[in-house]
C-alpha cells in the first residue's frame, strides 16, 4: 500500500513539475514558477553583470569640463565595430542572460506576456544594448515591453530608456514630446520622476533650448536621491547660467556643490572652484585669500588626482597677475602631472608659448606652439589659429638658428688651438656631470621598478643577470617641442651611449646573433678574455675602451671646425643675411623695434657685404624714428655723409619726393617689370622680380614685387602654387597692404577657384589647342600661317588665333570662336586632311569653360584622361567682396591675333592708354598688382 502511495506521489509530482514547466499554459503555477526561475537565477546574475558594466562605463568616462557636460555619463565611441562585436564583456553577459530568460521563460499567450518578469528581462536586454552603443536593437527591446506589457510596473522606466535611445539616434523632438506626456502620467514624484526630468533636460540641451533645460534640471535636483547625480546636475546648471550670462546664479550653483563637501563627486567640487576662479577680480580681489585657498587645495590628499587642474589654475592666476616666472613654474607643474585631459595639456603649452612669444623669445615659443598643435584636434578653429601663428614664426626660427650656429662656428674658428682645447675640455666636464646625473636617476628608477616588480611577484630576484644587482633603465628623453608622453629613446645620444655601456657591463661584448641572451657563461668569459687581450694589444684596457668615447675627446670636436677661410667667409655671408632678415622680420611683422635694432646693429658690426649695409642703416633710421629720435638723426647724418650719392641719401634729403625720376629707383623698376607683366612676358617677369627682391631687400616696395611674383606664378604654375605664393606674402608682410590683400585672397578667392571642376557640360564656345614649346619655332610659325590662311580662305571672320602661355615650358596656339564641338571637329579635320594645310600636329578640342579651368589649375592631363564631372555644382560666388569672375578671365590672352588684317591691326594697336595702368601714384605709394583671376582679358573668347 505504501509502495503504491509513493508511486502516486511521484507521478503526481512529475505531473505538477511538467505543468509548471510549460510556457504554453496560463496557470498560476506556470506563471509563478517561470517568474521565480527568471528572477532569482538568470536575471539576478545578469543584473550583477549589468551593474558592473555600468560602473566601468562611469569610471572610463572622461568628462570634458571645457564644454557643457551631458546629463548622462556615457561617451559615444567613434570606433567602428563588427555587427556581433561587443565593447564590454559585462554587457555581453547581461545580454546573454536576458536573452536566455526570454527564450526559456517567456509566456506570450493570447497577445500578452503572462510572465511578470519578462518586462525586467527585456529592460535588461535594452540597457545592455544601449550601453554597448547598439541603439537600434536597444530600441526594439524597449518597444517590445511597451507593446506587449503595457501594464508593467516598469513601464515608466522603460519609457525613459526609450527616449534616451531616441536621443542617441538624434530624434530629440520626438523624445521631448514623449517625455512631456510621460511626466503627466507619473503620479509619484520619486527617482523615476527625477530621471524623466533629467532626460527631458538633455533633450532640450540637444535642441539648444537652454531655458527649458534649466527648469527641468532644477526639478531633477530636487527629487533625485543620488548625491552624485545632484552634484552633476548642479554643475550643468552652473554652466547653463554662465551661457545665459547669469553670473550670480552660476556662482550660487558652484558654491552649493562645494558646500556638499564629500557628498558631491570630487571632480565637480574641484571644477566648481575652477569656475569660481574665472570670476576673480585680479585687480581689486583678495589675492592672499585666493593663494591660501588654492595652496590648501593643492595640499589636500583627496585632490591628488586633480593636481593638473589646480596647478593650471594657479598658473592662470600668476599669468593674469603678470608674474610670468611663477606662471611658467605652475604650467610646468601641470604638465608634469601627466593629465589625461588633452585640451588642458594643450592649454598649458599654448599659454607657455604666449608668454615666450610676448617676451620676444620666438624660437622657444615656436617649440611650445608645436606641442600645442600635437594636443589639439585638427580642423578646429583654435588649431588653425595656432597653426597660423606658428607659421609666422617659421622664418624667425630658421634665421635665428642660422645666426646662432654660424656665430658659434666663426667664434671657435677665431680661437687659438689652446683656447679651443680649453673650451672643449670645460664642455666635456659639464657633459660628464650631466651623464652622472642621468645615471643616478636611471639607477634610482631601476631600483624602484625592480622593487615594484618583486612586490607584484613578476620577477624572481635570483634570475637577475647581474646577481641581484639592480639593472638601471634609461630615463625618458625630454623634448620641449613634443606633446607626447613617451619620447623616442634614440633621440638622445647621451642615453644611447649610456645604454651601450650598461649592456657591455652586464652582458659583455656579444655578437649580433640569435639567442644571444642564453649564450653559455664560458662563451661569455671567452669573449671577455678575447676582447680584453685585443684591447691590451691596442695599448688600452677594457675599462678604457668602454668608458672613453668620442664625445669625451676634445679632438672629436676640434676636428669638425672648418679650417679654410673660404668656408668661414661663406658662413659669415650666410650669418649676415640671417641677421638682416631677422631685423626686417622683427620690425615689419612683430613690431619688436628694439629687438630689430639690436639685430641690425650687430649686423653692421660684422662689416657685411655692401648690398646689406645701406638697407640696414635705412631700416635702423626708420626704427630709431619710433624709439629714439636722437639715434635717428645720427643714422640719417651717417647715411648722407658716407653715401651721399645713394638712393637712400636722396630719400632722406628729399622726403617729399623719393627720387621718382631716377631710372634706378624701386618705383621705376617696378613700373618696367609691371609693363612686361601686362604684355604677357611672364617668363621674363619671374626672373626680373626675383632680381628686384634681392636687390631691394628691406625696402618697403618688396611686398609689391612679391605679390606681382605670386600673380606670375599663378599664370605659369597654377592654382596650388599660387596659393603657396600668396601664403608667403601674407605671412611675411602681414602689416602691408599687399599682405592683407593676399590674406583676403587666400580666404575668399582661392577656395572659390578651387571649387571649379572640369565638366562634361555642353558649351556655346569652343577652342582648338595645338601644343608648342616655343612660339619662335619654325614649325610653330608655319602652323600659325596655315591657320591664318584657312580662316582667310574660308572667310571665317568670327574665328581668331592667339598664342597662349601655359607653363614655363609649354604653350598653346589657340583657335577661338567655334560655337559647337562638331564645328571644331570639322575644322580640325579640314586642317589635317586638306592638301592646302596638312596640319599634322595633334589638336585638342575643349570648351571655353574647361579651358579656363585648365589654365587656372594646370590640369590638362586630367582633361585628356577624361576626368570630367557630369554635373558639377556651380561654385558659390556670393561673398563680402566683389563677385569673383567667371573662370574664363583667368585665361591668358596675350599676343592674340586676328586673321582678318583689319581686326589684327586694331588688336595690335590696342595698347593701354595709361602705360602705368594698375599703378596708382597716391602720396608716393604704389598701387597693387591685380590678382590673375581679376584681370580683364585683352580679347573676349
Amino acid at each position: 500500500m505504501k509502495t503504491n502511495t509513493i508511486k502516486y506521489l511521484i507521478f503526481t509530482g512529475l505531473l505538477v513539475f511538467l505543468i509548471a514547466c510549460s510556457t504554453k499554459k496560463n496557470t498560476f503555477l506556470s506563471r509563478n514558477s517561470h517568474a521565480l526561475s527568471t528572477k532569482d537565477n538568470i536575471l539576478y546574475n545578469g543584473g550583477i553583470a549589468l551593474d558592473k558594466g555600468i560602473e566601468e562605463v562611469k569610471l572610463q568616462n572622461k568628462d570634458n569640463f571645457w564644454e557643457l557636460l551631458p546629463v548622462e555619463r556615457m561617451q559615444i565611441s567613434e570606433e567602428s565595430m563588427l555587427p556581433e562585436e561587443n565593447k564590454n564583456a559585462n554587457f555581453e553577459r547581461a545580454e546573454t542572460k536576458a536573452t536566455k530568460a526570454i527564450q526559456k521563460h517567456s509566456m506570450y499567450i493570447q497577445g500578452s506576456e503572462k510572465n511578470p518578469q519578462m518586462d525586467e528581462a527585456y529592460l535588461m536586454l535594452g540597457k545592455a544594448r544601449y550601453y554597448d552603443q547598439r541603439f537600434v536593437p536597444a530600441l526594439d527591446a524597449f518597444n517590445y515591453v511597451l507593446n506587449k506589457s503595457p501594464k508593467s510596473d516598469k513601464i515608466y522606466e522603460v519609457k525613459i530608456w526609450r527616449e534616451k535611445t531616441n536621443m542617441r539616434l538624434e530624434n530629440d523632438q520626438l523624445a521631448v514630446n514623449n517625455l512631456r506626456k510621460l511626466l503627466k502620467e507619473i503620479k509619484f514624484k520619486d527617482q523615476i520622476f527625477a530621471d524623466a526630468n533629467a532626460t527631458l533636460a538633455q533633450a532640450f540641451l540637444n535642441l539648444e533650448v537652454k531655458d527649458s533645460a534649466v527648469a527641468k534640471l532644477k526639478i531633477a535636483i530636487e527629487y533625485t536621491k543620488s548625491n552624485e547625480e545632484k552634484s552633476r546636475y548642479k554643475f550643468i546648471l552652473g554652466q547653463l547660467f554662465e551661457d545665459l550670462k547669469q553670473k550670480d546664479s552660476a556662482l550660487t550653483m558652484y558654491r552649493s556643490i562645494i558646500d556638499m563637501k564629500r557628498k558631491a563627486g570630487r571632480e565637480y567640487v574641484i571644477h566648481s572652484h575652477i569656475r569660481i576662479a574665472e570670476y576673480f577680480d585680479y585687480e581689486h580681489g583678495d589675492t592672499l585669500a585666493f593663494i591660501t585657498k588654492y595652496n590648501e587645495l593643492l595640499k589636500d590628499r583627496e585632490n591628488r588626482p586633480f593636481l593638473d587642474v589646480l596647478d593650471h589654475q594657479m598658473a592662470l592666476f600668476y599669468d593674469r597677475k603678470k608674474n610670468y616666472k611663477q606662471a611658467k613654474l605652475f604650467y610646468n607643474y601641470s604638465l608634469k602631472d601627466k593629465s589625461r585631459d588633452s585640451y588642458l595639456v594643450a592649454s598649458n603649452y599654448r599659454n607657455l608659448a604666449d608668454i615666450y612669444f610676448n617676451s620676444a623669445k620666438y624660437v622657444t615659443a615656436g617649440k611650445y606652439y608645436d606641442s600645442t598643435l600635437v594636443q589639439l584636434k585638427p580642423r578646429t578653429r583654435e588649431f588653425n589659429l595656432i597653426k597660423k601663428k606658428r607659421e609666422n614664426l617659421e622664418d624667425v626660427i630658421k634665421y635665428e638658428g642660422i645666426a646662432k650656429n654660424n656665430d658659434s662656428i666663426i667664434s671657435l674658428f677665431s680661437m687659438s688651438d689652446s683656447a679651443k682645447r680649453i673650451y672643449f675640455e670645460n664642455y666635456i666636464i659639464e657633459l660628464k656631470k650631466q651623464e652622472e646625473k642621468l645615471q643616478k636617476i636611471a639607477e634610482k628608477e631601476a631600483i624602484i621598478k625592480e622593487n615594484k616588480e618583486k612586490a607584484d611577484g613578476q620577477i624572481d630576484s635570483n634570475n637577475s643577470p647581474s646577481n641581484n644587482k639592480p639593472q638601471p633603465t634609461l630615463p625618458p628623453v625630454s623634448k620641449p617641442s613634443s606633446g607626447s608622453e613617451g619620447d623616442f629613446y634614440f633621440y638622445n645620444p647621451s642615453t644611447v651611449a649610456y645604454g651601450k655601456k650598461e649592456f657591455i657591463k652586464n652582458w659583455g661584448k656579444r655578437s649580433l646573433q640569435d639567442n644571444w641572451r642564453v649564450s653559455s657563461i664560458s662563451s661569455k668569459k671567452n669573449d671577455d678574455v678575447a676582447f680584453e687581450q685585443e684591447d691590451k694589444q691596442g695599448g688600452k684596457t677594457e675599462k678604457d675602451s668602454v668608458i672613453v668615447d668620442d664625445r669625451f675627446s676634445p679632438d672629436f670636436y676640434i676636428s669638425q671646425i672648418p679650417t679654410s677661410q673660404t668656408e668661414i667667409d661663406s658662413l659669415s655671408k650666410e650669418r649676415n643675411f640671417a641677421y638682416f632678415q631677422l631685423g626686417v622680420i622683427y620690425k615689419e611683422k612683430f613690431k619688436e623695434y628694439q629687438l630689430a635694432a639690436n639685430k641690425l646693429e650687430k649686423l653692421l658690426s660684422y662689416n657685411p657685404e655692401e648690398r646689406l649695409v645701406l638697407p640696414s642703416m635705412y631700416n635702423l633710421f626708420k626704427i630709431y624714428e619710433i624709439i629714439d629720435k636722437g639715434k635717428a638723426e645720427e643714422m640719417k647724418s651717417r647715411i648722407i655723409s658716407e653715401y651721399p650719392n645713394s638712393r637712400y641719401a636722396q630719400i632722406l634729403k628729399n622726403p617729399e619726393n623719393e627720387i621718382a625720376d631716377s631710372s634706378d629707383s624701386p618705383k621705376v623698376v617696378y613700373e618696367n617689370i609691371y609693363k612686361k607683366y601686362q604684355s604677357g612676358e611672364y617668363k621674363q617677369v619671374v626672373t626680373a622680380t626675383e632680381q628686384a627682391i634681392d636687390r631691394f631687400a628691406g625696402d618697403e616696395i618688396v611686398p609689391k614685387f612679391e605679390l606681382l611674383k605670386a600673380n606670375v606664378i599663378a599664370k605659369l604654375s597654377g592654382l596650388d602654387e599660387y596659393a603657396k605664393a600668396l601664403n608667403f606674402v601674407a605671412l611675411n608682410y602681414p602689416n602691408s597692404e599687399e599682405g592683407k590683400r593676399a590674406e583676403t585672397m587666400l580666404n575668399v578667392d582661392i577656395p572659390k577657384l578651387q571649387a571649379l571642376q572640369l565638366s562634361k557640360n555642353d558649351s556655346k564656345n569652343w577652342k582648338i589647342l595645338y601644343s608648342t614649346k616655343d612660339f619662335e619655332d619654325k614649325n610653330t610659325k608655319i602652323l600659325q600661317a596655315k591657320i591664318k590662311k584657312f580662316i582667310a580662305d574660308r572667310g571665317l571672320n568670327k574665328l581668331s588665333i592667339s598664342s597662349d602661355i601655359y607653363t614655363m615650358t609649354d604653350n598653346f596656339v589657340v583657335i577661338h570662336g567655334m560655337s559647337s564641338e562638331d564645328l571644331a571637329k570639322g575644322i580640325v579635320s579640314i586642317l589635317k586632311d586638306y592638301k592646302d594645310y596638312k596640319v599634322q600636329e595633334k589638336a585638342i578640342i575643349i570648351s571655353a569653360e574647361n579651358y579656363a579651368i585648365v589654365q587656372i589649375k594646370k590640369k590638362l592631363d586630367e582633361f585628356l584622361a577624361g576626368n570630367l564631372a557630369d554635373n558639377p555644382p556651380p561654385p558659390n560666388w556670393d561673398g563680402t567682396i566683389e563677385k569673383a569672375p567667371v573662370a574664363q578671365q583667368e585665361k591668358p590672352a596675350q599676343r592674340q591675333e586676328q586673321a582678318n588684317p583689319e581686326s589684327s591691326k586694331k588688336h595690335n594697336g590696342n595698347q593701354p592708354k595709361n602705360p602705368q595702368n594698375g599703378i596708382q601714384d597716391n602720396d608716393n605709394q604704389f598701387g597693387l598688382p591685380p590678382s590673375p583671376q581679376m584681370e580683364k582679358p585683352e580679347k573676349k573668347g
Side-chain angles (χ1 to χ4, degrees):
M1 190 69 180
K2 289 183 179 180
T3 304
N4 291 333
T5 302
I6 293 172
K7 287 181 179 179
Y8 287 131
L9 289 173
I10 293 173
F11 177 77
T12 305
L14 288 173
L15 183 62
V16 170
F17 177 75
L18 291 174
I19 293 172
C21 287
S22 174
T23 59
K24 302 298 183 182
K25 294 184 178 181
N26 183 19
T27 63
F28 175 82
L29 189 60
S30 293
R31 288 196 304 271
N32 287 280
S33 172
H34 285 288
L36 185 65
S37 299
T38 304
K39 178 180 179 181
D40 292 338
N41 184 7
I42 303 175
L43 291 187
Y44 174 77
N45 293 316
I48 292 174
L50 182 64
D51 290 340
K52 287 183 179 178
I54 293 172
E55 191 63 30
E56 286 182 13
V57 167
K58 289 183 178 180
L59 289 174
Q60 293 171 2
N61 178 70
K62 184 64 178 176
D63 283 319
N64 183 5
F65 285 90
W66 302 94
E67 298 176 355
L68 183 65
L69 294 184
V71 170
E72 187 177 26
R73 289 182 62 183
M74 187 180 84
Q75 293 177 339
I76 299 297
S77 173
E78 297 180 357
E79 297 178 4
S80 58
M81 292 193 310
L82 296 175
E84 300 300 324
E85 186 180 358
N86 293 82
K87 291 184 174 135
N88 190 307
N90 287 311
F91 295 136
E92 183 179 9
R93 177 175 172 78
E95 184 175 359
T96 302
K97 289 295 182 182
T99 305
K100 181 179 179 182
I102 293 166
Q103 290 174 343
K104 288 193 173 184
H105 301 289
S106 177
M107 298 177 65
Y108 188 67
I109 301 170
Q110 296 180 353
S112 64
E113 181 61 57
K114 305 303 181 183
N115 185 342
Q117 292 297 317
M118 278 303 100
D119 55 350
E120 296 268 10
Y122 275 101
L123 180 59
M124 181 184 293
L125 179 64
K127 285 182 179 180
R129 291 173 174 176
Y130 177 88
Y131 281 111
D132 211 35
Q133 299 182 21
R134 292 182 291 125
F135 300 117
V136 175
L139 193 61
D140 290 339
F142 298 134
N143 282 330
Y144 183 89
V145 179
L146 297 175
N147 294 329
K148 306 300 182 183
S149 304
K151 296 182 180 180
S152 168
D153 61 343
K154 298 289 183 182
I155 198 68
Y156 295 152
E157 186 178 356
V158 172
K159 286 183 177 181
I160 292 172
W161 279 97
R162 181 186 66 174
E163 303 320 319
K164 283 186 178 182
T165 310
N166 275 326
M167 287 191 294
R168 296 293 184 180
L169 295 172
E170 299 182 0
N171 298 322
D172 299 303
Q173 190 59 56
L174 176 63
V176 168
N177 296 336
N178 291 336
L179 285 168
R180 279 175 169 165
K181 293 177 183 177
L182 175 61
L183 288 173
K184 294 178 181 179
E185 296 174 8
I186 296 176
K187 298 178 182 178
F188 301 102
K189 295 184 177 181
D190 53 6
Q191 185 64 45
I192 292 294
F193 185 70
D195 292 343
N197 278 283
T199 306
L200 182 55
Q202 182 62 61
F204 281 130
L205 290 177
N206 293 344
L207 295 171
E208 298 186 358
V209 186
K210 294 181 180 179
D211 290 336
S212 299
V214 167
K216 296 304 175 184
L217 277 174
K218 287 180 178 179
I219 298 173
I221 291 169
E222 183 179 355
Y223 291 102
T224 184
K225 297 178 183 178
S226 169
N227 285 322
E228 193 276 336
E229 287 182 359
K230 189 172 293 188
S231 57
R232 185 178 184 86
Y233 297 162
K234 284 184 176 181
F235 191 86
I236 297 170
L237 259 183
Q239 291 180 305
L240 286 173
F241 284 134
E242 285 190 84
D243 290 343
L244 296 171
K245 309 300 181 186
Q246 299 177 20
K247 173 185 171 183
D248 293 337
S249 298
L251 291 175
T252 301
M253 277 298 143
Y254 294 137
R255 290 190 181 110
S256 68
I257 296 171
I258 295 171
D259 292 340
M260 289 177 69
K261 298 181 180 178
R262 287 189 172 87
K263 290 181 181 179
R266 197 64 188 169
E267 62 270 29
Y268 307 119
V269 174
I270 296 299
H271 283 279
S272 293
H273 283 294
I274 300 301
R275 299 310 305 166
I276 291 172
E278 290 295 316
Y279 293 99
F280 181 74
D281 186 350
Y282 289 92
E283 292 185 5
H284 307 102
D286 189 346
T287 56
L288 182 61
F290 184 96
I291 294 172
T292 302
K293 170 186 172 182
Y294 270 86
N295 283 335
E296 290 175 357
L297 289 172
L298 287 167
K299 291 177 183 178
D300 192 338
R301 293 175 65 88
E302 292 184 44
N303 298 336
R304 286 187 177 182
F306 310 103
L307 288 178
D308 54 341
V309 182
L310 294 171
D311 284 327
H312 178 77
Q313 185 56 49
M314 284 295 287
L316 286 176
F317 171 79
Y318 286 115
D319 200 346
R320 290 168 185 172
K321 294 292 290 182
K322 302 189 185 307
N323 185 347
Y324 299 120
K325 182 178 179 181
Q326 285 295 103
K328 288 190 285 185
L329 183 66
F330 277 97
Y331 282 133
N332 282 299
Y333 282 159
S334 182
L335 289 171
K336 289 178 182 178
D337 293 328
K338 303 294 183 184
S339 175
R340 289 173 55 196
D341 186 344
S342 60
Y343 189 78
L344 179 67
V345 175
S347 298
N348 287 323
Y349 282 127
R350 181 200 60 221
N351 294 348
L352 282 167
D354 288 341
I355 290 173
Y356 286 113
F357 183 90
N358 294 331
S359 303
K361 297 179 180 178
Y362 298 114
V363 176
T364 307
K367 294 177 182 179
Y368 280 105
Y369 282 132
D370 284 337
S371 298
T372 305
L373 293 173
V374 170
Q375 298 296 332
L376 289 175
K377 292 180 180 179
R379 298 182 181 178
T380 60
R381 184 177 181 181
E382 185 173 10
F383 180 90
N384 292 332
L385 288 173
I386 298 294
K387 186 179 180 183
K388 193 76 173 178
K389 203 166 187 178
R390 174 61 180 82
E391 288 174 350
N392 279 331
L393 296 173
E394 197 69 46
D395 288 337
V396 173
I397 294 170
K398 171 187 172 183
Y399 290 118
E400 284 284 7
I402 292 173
K404 182 178 178 181
N405 292 338
N406 290 12
D407 266 339
S408 177
I409 294 171
I410 294 168
S411 176
L412 288 169
F413 174 81
S414 62
M415 290 182 181
S416 63
D417 291 342
S418 59
K420 291 176 186 175
R421 186 165 295 276
I422 292 171
Y423 175 83
F424 286 115
E425 284 175 351
N426 292 333
Y427 170 76
I428 290 169
I429 290 171
E430 293 299 320
L431 185 62
K432 287 182 177 179
K433 288 180 181 179
Q434 185 181 0
E435 288 279 308
E436 290 174 2
K437 185 178 179 180
L438 287 173
Q439 184 173 353
K440 288 178 181 178
I441 294 172
E443 289 176 353
K444 184 178 179 180
E445 290 183 354
I447 293 170
I448 294 171
K449 182 179 179 181
E450 186 176 18
N451 290 338
K452 184 178 179 181
E453 290 176 347
K454 286 180 180 178
D456 294 340
Q458 295 178 5
I459 62 171
D460 182 0
S461 60
N462 294 326
N463 292 334
S464 176
S466 56
N467 297 329
N468 296 334
K469 185 177 179 180
Q471 300 302 306
T473 57
L474 291 170
V477 183
S478 176
K479 297 200 310 173
S481 62
S482 172
S484 59
E485 292 184 5
D487 295 306
F488 193 41
Y489 169 90
F490 291 100
Y491 282 155
N492 192 325
S494 299
T495 55
V496 173
Y498 175 71
K500 290 179 180 179
K501 184 172 70 173
E502 286 298 316
F503 180 86
I504 293 173
K505 184 166 64 176
N506 292 328
W507 299 98
K509 294 190 177 180
R510 302 215 172 185
S511 58
L512 181 61
Q513 60 184 4
D514 293 338
N515 300 322
W516 62 268
R517 189 169 182 173
V518 296
S519 299
S520 64
I521 297 175
S522 60
S523 174
K524 178 180 175 180
K525 289 181 178 178
N526 291 337
D527 288 343
D528 290 342
V529 170
F531 282 120
E532 187 174 356
Q533 290 176 350
E534 180 180 338
D535 288 337
K536 286 180 178 179
Q537 290 174 359
K540 296 181 181 179
T541 65
E542 182 183 1
K543 183 177 179 181
D544 292 336
S545 65
V546 171
I547 295 176
V548 176
D549 59 29
D550 290 339
R551 294 179 306 113
F552 300 138
S553 170
D555 294 331
F556 171 72
Y557 301 103
I558 293 172
S559 63
Q560 298 182 51
I561 300 173
T563 56
S564 96
Q565 187 61 46
T566 304
E567 291 180 83
I568 295 300
D569 290 342
S570 176
L571 290 172
S572 299
K573 187 176 180 181
E574 187 180 32
R575 184 265 321 269
N576 293 341
F577 184 72
Y579 272 112
F580 176 76
Q581 289 292 341
L582 287 170
V584 173
I585 291 170
Y586 288 140
K587 170 182 171 256
E588 298 292 339
K589 187 182 291 187
F590 300 114
K591 305 297 182 184
E592 290 287 345
Y593 298 116
Q594 188 58 56
L595 192 56
N598 293 342
K599 296 296 180 183
L600 293 173
E601 289 283 14
K602 196 168 186 179
L603 168 63
L604 293 176
S605 70
Y606 290 139
N607 296 320
E609 52 271 33
E610 190 66 27
R611 74 185 186 94
L612 297 179
V613 174
L614 267 172
S616 298
M617 295 174 71
Y618 184 73
N619 275 289
L620 278 170
F621 165 74
K622 289 288 190 181
I623 292 168
Y624 287 140
E625 273 194 319
I626 299 171
I627 63 175
D628 192 332
K629 296 289 185 180
K631 287 187 176 181
E633 285 300 320
E634 290 178 12
M635 189 58 66
K636 177 180 178 180
S637 300
R638 186 176 164 190
I639 293 171
I640 293 173
S641 61
E642 294 181 13
Y643 304 94
N645 299 321
S646 68
R647 178 170 56 89
Y648 293 104
Q650 296 300 317
I651 293 172
L652 294 175
K653 291 176 182 178
N654 306 292
E656 299 300 325
N657 182 17
E658 294 189 2
I659 56 172
D661 298 328
S662 172
S663 62
D664 200 32
S665 69
K667 178 181 177 180
V668 173
V669 172
Y670 178 78
E671 289 173 355
N672 293 334
I673 296 175
Y674 190 78
K675 288 176 184 177
K676 292 182 179 179
Y677 172 80
Q678 286 183 308
S679 63
E681 300 175 30
Y682 302 134
K683 298 175 184 179
Q684 291 83 354
V685 171
V686 171
T687 304
T689 52
E690 289 175 349
Q691 291 174 350
I693 290 168
D694 184 59
R695 177 182 174 186
F696 301 118
D699 198 287
E700 295 175 355
I701 201 173
V702 169
K704 299 186 186 299
F705 284 111
E706 290 284 7
L707 188 56
L708 181 59
K709 180 183 173 183
N711 291 341
V712 178
I713 288 173
K715 295 285 188 182
L716 299 177
S717 301
L719 189 60
D720 292 341
E721 294 301 318
Y722 180 43
K724 293 178 184 177
L726 286 177
N727 190 52
F728 178 84
V729 178
L731 289 177
N732 287 279
Y733 309 100
N735 300 311
S736 67
E737 192 177 351
E738 293 78 13
K740 292 173 183 176
R741 171 175 282 194
E743 183 71 24
T744 301
M745 293 165 71
L746 277 171
N747 295 329
V748 180
D749 295 351
I750 295 298
K752 292 175 181 178
L753 293 173
Q754 287 173 337
L756 296 173
Q757 298 182 47
L758 296 169
S759 71
K760 298 178 181 178
N761 295 342
D762 196 13
S763 174
K764 295 182 180 180
N765 192 344
W766 291 81
K767 301 179 186 297
I768 301 171
L769 314 181
Y770 290 98
S771 297
T772 180
K773 296 291 184 183
D774 185 2
F775 291 125
E776 301 301 321
D777 179 66
K778 179 181 177 182
N779 293 331
T780 302
K781 290 186 175 181
I782 292 173
L783 171 64
Q784 291 173 324
K786 290 179 179 179
I787 294 172
K788 290 176 184 178
K789 184 177 186 306
F790 164 77
I791 294 173
D793 291 347
R794 307 283 170 156
L796 300 173
N797 296 333
K798 291 185 178 181
L799 299 187
S800 62
I801 179 174
S802 70
S803 302
D804 293 358
I805 293 175
Y806 182 58
T807 65
M808 285 290 288
T809 56
D810 298 311
N811 309 294
F812 295 129
V813 174
V814 186
I815 304 175
H816 307 269
M818 282 72 70
S819 59
S820 68
E821 186 177 10
D822 291 337
L823 176 59
K825 289 179 179 178
I827 291 173
V828 169
S829 178
I830 293 173
L831 287 172
K832 181 178 179 182
D833 299 330
Y834 199 77
K835 63 181 181 179
D836 289 347
Y837 313 119
K838 289 293 181 181
V839 174
Q840 299 303 315
E841 287 82 357
K842 183 179 178 180
I844 301 171
I845 299 173
I846 187 171
S847 68
E849 294 79 9
N850 282 339
Y851 178 61
I853 296 171
V854 164
Q855 281 286 10
I856 291 171
K857 296 189 173 184
K858 308 302 177 188
K859 299 291 186 181
L860 181 63
D861 292 340
E862 283 191 17
F863 175 79
L864 295 177
N867 297 332
L868 310 178
D870 290 327
N871 290 299
N876 177 21
W877 296 116
D878 297 330
T880 56
I881 63 168
E882 180 184 358
K883 181 177 286 189
V886 179
Q888 188 176 358
Q889 288 184 333
E890 179 67 8
K891 176 194 63 189
Q894 63 281 6
R895 298 208 303 249
Q896 203 172 54
E897 300 176 52
Q898 285 275 357
N900 187 313
E902 221 176 65
S903 300
S904 178
K905 181 178 179 181
K906 180 181 178 181
H907 172 71
N908 291 334
N910 185 21
Q911 297 297 329
K913 294 179 180 179
N914 179 8
Q916 298 179 6
N917 184 25
I919 308 177
Q920 302 170 358
D921 194 349
N922 183 13
D923 295 332
N924 294 325
Q925 296 297 316
F926 306 136
L928 299 172
S931 61
Q933 72 273 21
M934 302 301 290
E935 291 178 42
K936 293 183 179 180
E938 294 176 19
K939 185 173 181 64
K940 186 176 179 181

